[in-house]
Amino acid sequence: MDKGKLNNNNGVVAAKVPLPDIPAPDKAKTKTYAYACAILASMTSILLGYDIGVMSGAVIFIQKDLKISDTQVEVLVGILNLYCLFGSAAAGKTSDWIGRRYTIVLAAAIFFVGAILMGTAMNYSLLMLGRFVAGIGVGYALMIAPVYTAEVSPASARGFLTSFPEVFINFGILLGYVSNWSLSKLSLRLGWRLMLGIGAVPSVFMGLGVLYMPESPRWLVLQGRLGDAKRVLVKTSDTKEEAQERLIAIQEAAGIPLDCTDEFVKVPKIEKGHEVWKELFLHPTPTVRRILIAGVGIHFFQQASGIDAVVLYSPRIFKKAGITSNDALLGATVAVGFVKTISILVATFFLDKIGRRPLLLTSVGGMIVALILLASGLTVIDQNRDQKLVWALALCIAMVLLYVAFFSIGLGPITWVYSSEIFPLRLRAQGTSVGVAVNRVVSGTISMTFLSMTKAITIGGGFFLFTGVATIAWVFFYTFLPETRGRNLEDMDALFGQSRRKRSQYRDETIGSNGQVQLGTTASQV
């Protein structure tokens, strides 16, 4: 082939075109553009949040209408989390194949079909079919939204922007609770079907909105489209120099020589999917092993500490505490959703100012206190069934609100931020999908066993168990998770490969007093 020509990824022979000299970005415009991209991508997380929130109240009416048992309720509520595994397992390869952007569109389309099936289900079997389809869509969305957001965000705002998926999960939960409360007055047969079917509406707008987003610059580089990647980076970086730094770091990670400065380049053959899995599980380096344990561990503890038990079964918890009417129960759950949504805004504004670790440790510490008091209050109520203890009821309601507040300021959003930014580029899609899979398995297990567990060890005993898990989580986070604030994504190999003392020294050298990475520092220099 002529040296002046090469094959692009569509097999078309094109003349070499040098990378364009793009003007320096307007900082205000780039920040707005990056925020818009992150918001559009993260809105797919509303799908999961709405499903969680609406099902907690809808199941009250579903159980009456379809006359199903508590065991069937557990399966109905929790099975979507296991169905997510199919979506998250496929999302890694799909996003590498068709791109991050179109994978988000696919997630919205699949959930749309699932919501329609649930909203028109006439029996338990058809309802479960709808849950299966919706679960696949949610699995895709959970995996791809934080990955895309992390890859398009500048380091200075990555924590803030990557927390958006959790923000929208919480917003979706609140919408689900409000839907329960507002539609509960309708007939038994119509009310819960509308609650579930309305979930199809936002997926349409999200699927269309995502089409206006740019593709991830890291995916573009892997396709050899350096010119397109540079244009996206300039639009989403604070300075032209930062855009160049990010492009160089991505080229290094993708194995593209730095002297390649053409619009299109031939990308070196990268690991096949099975070789990536081998590197993750069969023959990981000490650094990759540490990253994998950190990514899987934070997802495990996020769910094992009991958040889905509180969110999905809050009406049952409040009923156990002494609230009896459906209106009051659903009103209390709306309060839970409101507190959860407001609290997460705290995390979004402080993730890039004070770092991941301080928020994470504060969050889990507060959850431990709330869980101990909630478990104690529920135990006292359980042992005094003949009396209505107003103080114990107030304590339980307050501790549920405190628990979701502390969860939302740290463990909730940081799980997605942290796991989406620590995996190396070559392992990011598959590594993130593993974390999401663990997250959904643990969530599904707790959701599908909570009622049975409360019958076996009492509801207070169940929350004492969650207290123990949260305590172990705090120790794990304190000893195992390094700070990632302000780092380029390509620096994570070096960060996790160093000792604690060296990581602290590197942080002092590369991060200025304003928390920004100093230009000129790349992974190759570590």
Side-chain angles (χ1 to χ4, degrees):
M1 181 182 293
D2 191 325
K3 291 183 180 179
K5 298 182 178 181
L6 75 159
N7 282 316
N8 65 15
N9 288 312
N10 295 319
V12 179
V13 177
K16 282 190 174 183
V17 179
L19 279 175
D21 186 17
I22 301 173
D26 182 300
K27 189 170 183 179
K29 289 183 179 179
T30 59
K31 199 159 263 189
T32 301
Y33 188 74
Y35 283 20
C37 293
I39 289 172
L40 283 171
S42 302
M43 282 178 67
T44 57
S45 301
I46 288 179
L47 306 179
L48 174 62
Y50 184 82
D51 185 90
I52 291 173
V54 78
M55 188 54 73
S56 69
V59 76
I60 298 173
F61 307 102
I62 293 172
Q63 189 169 22
K64 290 180 182 179
D65 186 24
L66 302 182
K67 297 179 174 55
I68 58 178
S69 65
D70 275 355
T71 300
Q72 289 175 303
V73 167
E74 285 182 318
V75 173
L76 177 66
V77 169
I79 198 68
L80 180 133
N81 296 297
L82 300 186
Y83 291 154
C84 281
L85 297 178
F86 295 97
S88 61
K93 190 170 184 61
T94 303
S95 66
D96 285 343
W97 178 39
I98 66 174
R100 310 327 193 198
R101 188 174 59 144
Y102 287 114
T103 302
I104 295 173
V105 175
L106 180 62
I110 295 173
F111 186 85
F112 174 84
V113 175
I116 294 298
L117 288 172
M118 288 190 292
T120 57
M122 300 308 296
N123 55 51
Y124 186 74
S125 298
L126 291 176
L127 188 55
M128 289 294 287
L129 175 63
R131 298 290 281 168
F132 173 72
V133 176
I136 294 176
V138 168
Y140 267 98
L142 276 178
M143 180 269 170
I144 197 59
V147 168
Y148 175 88
T149 306
E151 292 184 346
V152 81
S153 304
S156 62
R158 193 176 61 243
F160 176 67
L161 297 179
T162 314
S163 67
F164 279 15
E166 183 69 15
V167 172
F168 283 104
I169 287 177
N170 282 269
F171 183 62
I173 290 172
L174 178 58
L175 288 179
Y177 286 158
V178 172
S179 176
N180 288 153
W181 179 75
S182 60
L183 299 176
S184 62
K185 301 293 191 303
L186 298 177
S187 67
L188 184 61
R189 291 178 61 82
L190 179 62
W192 67 263
R193 289 181 171 87
L194 273 180
M195 293 175 191
L196 299 180
I198 285 175
V201 176
S203 63
V204 175
F205 294 102
M206 285 182 275
L208 294 174
V210 168
L211 294 176
Y212 293 95
M213 292 162 37
E215 186 48 84
S216 156
R218 286 171 174 80
W219 185 82
L220 290 171
V221 169
L222 289 177
Q223 307 307 303
R225 296 163 57 182
L226 290 188
D228 290 337
K230 184 174 182 179
R231 279 183 277 273
V232 174
L233 287 169
V234 168
K235 287 183 178 180
T236 58
S237 298
D238 293 332
T239 64
K240 187 176 180 180
E241 290 75 18
E242 182 189 350
Q244 187 63 33
E245 284 287 323
R246 292 171 68 187
L247 181 61
I248 290 172
I250 298 169
Q251 281 186 242
E252 287 180 329
I256 298 174
L258 299 185
D259 58 0
C260 288
T261 57
D262 298 315
E263 182 85 11
F264 299 99
V265 301
K266 188 172 182 179
V267 182
K269 187 177 180 181
I270 60 173
E271 297 92 342
K272 295 180 180 178
H274 67 275
E275 292 174 339
V276 171
W277 293 114
K278 281 183 181 179
E279 185 175 356
L280 276 173
F281 292 107
L282 298 181
H283 308 294
T285 63
T287 299
V288 169
R289 185 184 300 113
R290 180 183 175 90
I291 290 173
L292 181 64
I293 292 173
V296 169
I298 195 169
H299 273 287
F300 172 83
F301 285 117
Q302 185 202 48
Q303 294 300 324
S305 55
I307 185 60
D308 272 7
V310 172
V311 173
L312 284 167
Y313 295 105
S314 53
R316 296 227 177 194
I317 296 170
F318 292 137
K319 187 173 183 179
K320 187 71 176 178
I323 299 177
T324 54
S325 74
N326 283 343
D327 271 352
L329 288 174
L330 296 178
T333 61
V334 171
V336 171
F338 182 77
V339 169
K340 202 170 186 301
T341 303
I342 293 298
S343 299
I344 199 171
L345 297 178
V346 176
T348 62
F349 288 106
F350 286 100
L351 269 169
D352 290 311
K353 293 181 179 178
I354 65 176
R356 283 59 157 156
R357 275 175 58 89
L359 275 178
L360 189 61
L361 296 175
T362 301
S363 167
V364 179
M367 288 166 57
I368 292 170
V369 173
L371 284 168
I372 290 174
L373 294 176
L374 175 60
S376 301
L378 289 170
T379 300
V380 169
I381 290 172
D382 200 41
Q383 292 175 349
N384 296 271
R385 297 177 184 175
D386 297 333
Q387 305 177 48
K388 186 167 184 178
L389 303 176
V390 178
W391 68 267
L393 171 60
L395 177 66
C396 291
I397 294 174
M399 289 306 104
V400 167
L401 297 177
L402 188 67
Y403 171 81
V404 297
F406 271 110
F407 177 87
S408 294
I409 67 168
L411 186 56
I414 290 174
T415 295
W416 304 102
V417 173
Y418 204 87
S419 63
S420 66
E421 65 186 1
I422 61 176
F423 285 99
L425 176 61
R426 66 189 182 280
L427 308 174
R428 184 166 300 137
Q430 289 84 352
T432 305
S433 68
V434 170
V436 172
V438 170
N439 187 289
R440 294 299 90 195
V441 167
V442 178
S443 174
T445 301
I446 290 176
S447 303
M448 295 170 66
T449 58
F450 181 72
L451 296 181
S452 300
M453 179 178 68
T454 58
K455 291 176 182 177
I457 61 174
T458 75
I459 191 168
F463 283 104
F464 276 124
L465 179 61
F466 292 141
T467 303
V469 173
T471 303
I472 296 172
W474 194 94
V475 175
F476 173 79
F477 297 150
Y478 181 79
T479 58
F480 204 79
L481 270 58
E483 180 60 68
T484 59
R485 175 176 66 101
R487 297 297 184 87
N488 281 329
L489 296 183
E490 285 67 38
D491 289 340
M492 298 302 167
D493 267 339
L495 176 65
F496 278 83
Q498 294 174 320
S499 66
R500 184 185 298 269
R501 181 178 59 81
K502 288 183 178 179
R503 286 197 301 271
S504 298
Q505 181 182 357
Y506 176 72
R507 181 189 63 218
D508 294 339
E509 291 173 352
T510 60
I511 301 180
S513 59
N514 62 352
Q516 306 298 311
V517 175
Q518 300 301 310
L519 295 176
T521 303
T522 66
S524 63
Q525 293 174 290
V526 179

